[in-house]
Amino acid sequence: MTVPSDQEVSDTGDRFDTAAPELVRFLTARTGRTWPPDTDLFATGGLSSLFAMELVVHLEQTYGVSVRGTDLRLDNFRTVRRMVALVDRLRNSEPGDHGA
C-alpha cells in the first residue's frame, strides 16, 4: 500500500491556518510536546493507537464532523496537516460519502 507523503496532502489554505494551531495546542496540552504540522505523530513514538481514538473524538466535537468507515485509517491522523485535510474533506463532502 502506498501512503501519500505530506507534500501530496494539499494545504487547505485558511482552514489550515485556523485548524492547525488549534490541533497543535490540543496535542501539546495532552502530550507536553510541541508538534510541527508535518511530523509523523505515531512514527516518532509520540502517540499510541489508543490516543488516535481520542483524536477522533476531538476532531468530531471541535469541528462538527463525523469520522466513520474508511476515514478511520491511522494515516489520516499521522500529522497535523493530514488531520486538517481530513476535517476539510469531511466538511465538504455529502452525507454518507466517507466510508462504509
Side-chain angles (χ1 to χ4, degrees):
M1 178 172 88
T2 302
V3 177
S5 70
D6 284 329
Q7 288 77 24
E8 295 173 17
V9 176
S10 65
D11 191 329
T12 55
D14 291 338
R15 286 178 288 275
F16 183 81
D17 293 339
T18 57
E22 187 284 323
L23 277 170
V24 169
R25 281 191 298 275
F26 172 77
L27 291 167
T28 299
R30 299 292 293 137
T31 66
R33 292 176 59 183
T34 301
W35 298 97
D38 296 319
T39 298
D40 187 325
L41 306 170
F42 297 97
T44 59
L47 304 180
S48 67
S49 57
L50 183 59
F51 188 76
M53 294 314 298
E54 189 173 338
L55 283 171
V56 170
V57 171
H58 177 74
L59 294 177
E60 289 182 333
Q61 292 178 347
T62 303
Y63 300 103
V65 298
S66 179
V67 183
R68 301 284 182 261
T70 57
D71 292 323
L72 289 168
R73 294 177 323 138
L74 192 59
D75 287 337
N76 286 329
F77 301 91
R78 287 197 178 279
T79 68
V80 169
R81 188 172 304 280
R82 288 184 184 193
M83 286 185 270
V84 171
L86 173 65
V87 167
D88 185 51
R89 184 171 52 75
L90 292 175
R91 283 182 163 176
N92 291 308
S93 67
E94 294 295 321
D97 275 359
H98 54 88

